[in-house]
Amino acid sequence: DRGIASNEIQEDNNLMVYPNPFNNQFMVKYELESATAALKVFNMYGKLVSNQVITKSNTLIDLSQEANGIYFVQITDGATRVTKKMVKQ
């Protein structure tokens, strides 16, 4: 029994990631402060599984090739760094 799944949108420092939990893909919505920002996704062991530079506010992340579990989405925008926890199920 995994309990009740929460599909609420997490919001912090102009960052939203949804749905959470996700199956294969999730959307990252971020209002950039600079022209570009670094978007990285790490698995629960700290391994980098996705790394890209974003220039627009909406980015679709595909982790269909990755195992189910906990992931951390990290955006670095100038001096600002925001991290969100995501669950793939």
Side-chain angles (χ1 to χ4, degrees):
D1 183 58
R2 288 189 278 176
I4 298 172
S6 171
N7 287 322
E8 68 186 34
I9 295 173
Q10 296 184 23
E11 192 168 3
D12 181 37
N13 291 9
N14 302 326
L15 173 63
M16 293 192 324
V17 286
Y18 57 92
N20 193 13
F22 68 100
N23 292 325
N24 290 315
Q25 300 176 328
F26 60 90
M27 182 65 71
V28 175
K29 184 174 182 179
Y30 179 76
E31 297 304 322
L32 285 92
E33 297 171 12
S34 311
T36 63
L39 191 161
K40 297 180 180 183
V41 181
F42 299 90
N43 68 14
M44 64 185 139
Y45 305 109
K47 177 186 172 201
L48 183 65
V49 296
S50 178
N51 185 11
Q52 57 188 296
V53 174
I54 57 172
T55 57
K56 58 189 189 322
S57 60
N58 292 313
T59 307
L60 184 67
I61 302 295
D62 186 338
L63 296 184
S64 58
Q65 302 301 313
E66 300 297 327
N68 289 357
I70 296 171
Y71 290 86
F72 296 92
V73 177
Q74 181 184 87
I75 290 188
T76 304
D77 186 358
T80 303
R81 178 174 288 170
V82 185
T83 303
K84 289 287 182 196
K85 183 170 101 174
M86 300 292 291
V87 177
K88 180 178 179 187
Q89 61 181 25

